[in-house]
Amino acid sequence: MLSVFIQHKIISGCMLILFFFSIFIQMLLGHFYNSLIRETENMASTDKELLIQCKRRFANCYKANAGVANVPVFVDKFLNKMAVGNINVIKLKHFSGQMMLLSVFMAGVGACKGIIEGETLGEILPFYIISLFGLYLFFSVSGAVDISGKRRILKTNMVDYLENNMVKKLSILENDIKIIEEPVKEEKKNTLFGKSEANELEELLKEFLT
């Protein structure tokens, strides 16, 4: 088996690199979602930049529209835009699958090359074995990591916090601001009326004295 890979070292190298990177990305995404899920359990005091950004955007949206009509949709839009580094999380997940398919394709190329060069079935069989093993391992890791399931848990935690905590806090803050602003406006009105009345009285006194 080793001699076959040495003989087709470029194809074998590309196949193994693509395979390992596809697995690595799945595990990276799993860790990424796990860390966010842990932080959402205490989202009020989180120092995770992504979650702080989410709370800030939600507050701005709440103030601009006097509330957020559909919190789950807001969270979905935010999750769709999340990125690891500069790469979108959804695109990264698809990229992992594409690399696995390319790995299988390279195994097929290696087998075809072996057939063209007159190698026997036993000599090209390792390519098929490795590609099948790679697919099995990829789907096993994908199932264990369960990115879709983690995304659902993350969404549930975020919606729960925004609906049951953030909305209440923003509503209380909005009411407090109104309570503070109303006396100030009333005071301004009273002050302006008093000044106008004083001016009128002054004019009457001038007319009377002259």
Side-chain angles (χ1 to χ4, degrees), residues 4 111 114-115 118-129:
V4 172
I115 292 170
E119 293 176 357
T120 64
L121 179 62
E123 290 174 320
I124 63 172
L125 191 60
F127 285 109
Y128 293 107
I129 294 171

Side-chain angles (χ1 to χ4, degrees), residues 12 56 58 69 74 85 116 124 126 129 132 137 176 195 199 207:
S12 301
R56 191 181 300 124
F58 185 82
F74 172 87
I116 291 168
I124 63 172
I129 294 171
L132 288 172
L137 188 59
D176 287 346
K195 187 177 179 182
N199 288 335
E207 288 179 11

Side-chain angles (χ1 to χ4, degrees), residues 43-62:
M43 199 164 163
S45 59
T46 183
D47 58 354
K48 203 82 171 175
E49 183 58 35
L50 270 172
L51 297 179
I52 293 170
Q53 191 179 27
C54 176
K55 292 196 292 184
R56 191 181 300 124
R57 286 184 184 177
F58 185 82
N60 291 337
C61 182
Y62 187 94

Side-chain angles (χ1 to χ4, degrees), residues 197-210:
E197 190 178 36
N199 288 335
E200 286 179 12
L201 183 60
E202 188 178 352
E203 290 294 327
L204 286 169
L205 284 170
K206 283 181 181 178
E207 288 179 11
F208 180 76
L209 290 172
T210 57

Side-chain angles (χ1 to χ4, degrees), residues 49-150:
E49 183 58 35
L50 270 172
L51 297 179
I52 293 170
Q53 191 179 27
C54 176
K55 292 196 292 184
R56 191 181 300 124
R57 286 184 184 177
F58 185 82
N60 291 337
C61 182
Y62 187 94
K63 290 173 186 175
N65 303 303
V68 177
N70 199 327
V71 177
V73 171
F74 172 87
V75 173
D76 264 331
K77 287 181 178 179
F78 182 81
L79 292 177
N80 289 339
K81 292 177 182 176
M82 279 197 316
V84 177
N86 293 323
I87 306 173
N88 183 274
V89 170
I90 295 173
K91 289 181 180 178
L92 198 58
K93 182 186 175 185
H94 293 325
F95 186 58
S96 172
Q98 292 298 318
M99 283 199 290
M100 187 66 242
L101 290 175
L102 279 172
S103 176
V104 174
F105 174 75
M106 293 305 295
V109 170
C112 289
K113 189 172 182 293
I115 292 170
I116 291 168
E117 292 175 357
E119 293 176 357
T120 64
L121 179 62
E123 290 174 320
I124 63 172
L125 191 60
F127 285 109
Y128 293 107
I129 294 171
I130 293 297
S131 63
L132 288 172
F133 175 76
L135 283 170
Y136 171 76
L137 188 59
F138 176 80
F139 287 116
S140 296
V141 171
S142 296
V145 171
D146 190 16
I147 293 170
S148 298
K150 284 180 171 57

